[in-house]
Amino acid sequence: MPLIYHLVPADEWSQVLNLNVYRPASLATEGFIHCSYRDQVLATAARFFSAYDDLVVLVINEKRVKAHLKAEAAHEELFPHVYRELTLDDVEDTHMLLKGPDGVWEWVS
């Protein structure tokens, strides 16, 4: 099953759990939710989340968002973008990323 990943600061994700709907700021400002393929997750964390120490990685089955999913060029690569809000049903699993003392992101679960 093809998967895509979206990074969320841990404190922000805890607020979403009570709402059942996830609408990050990029959905309003850019019209889509930024996602990554598995091999892009750590580089995405390093590039855009340096101010954080822990991130929740949302694991999304592409089939659930297929009608609203586009792979588009950014940073000389193709990245998946979801053109609608996410619900908790869209999220198959979550994992954590932690930034080590050396500033390098690591998968922890």
Side-chain angles (χ1 to χ4, degrees):
M1 114 187 82
L3 300 172
I4 58 174
Y5 302 83
H6 176 72
L7 303 176
V8 183
D11 58 340
E12 186 178 326
W13 181 243
S14 64
Q15 296 170 3
V16 172
L17 291 173
N18 296 323
L19 302 174
N20 194 38
V21 171
Y22 178 57
R23 294 180 192 100
S26 69
L27 190 57
T29 60
E30 299 176 66
F32 60 87
I33 298 173
H34 294 269
C35 295
S36 298
Y37 297 111
R38 174 109 162 99
D39 64 335
Q40 298 170 320
V41 168
L42 294 177
T44 298
R47 186 180 292 131
F48 297 107
F49 294 93
S50 62
Y52 297 91
D53 293 322
D54 56 347
L55 297 171
V56 176
V57 182
L58 308 184
V59 180
I60 304 159
N61 184 329
E62 286 185 21
K63 290 179 184 179
R64 297 203 47 91
V65 297
K66 185 176 181 177
H68 305 279
L69 181 64
K70 293 181 184 177
E72 298 176 303
H75 308 283
E76 300 180 12
E77 294 181 73
L78 288 179
F79 285 85
H81 295 154
V82 178
Y83 282 81
R84 71 160 172 81
E85 64 192 17
L86 294 175
T87 67
L88 293 183
D89 289 339
D90 295 326
V91 179
E92 290 204 351
D93 201 0
T94 59
H95 297 280
M96 292 295 299
L97 290 183
L98 292 180
K99 192 183 332 170
D102 57 358
V104 176
W105 288 98
E106 298 178 11
W107 293 88
V108 292
S109 65

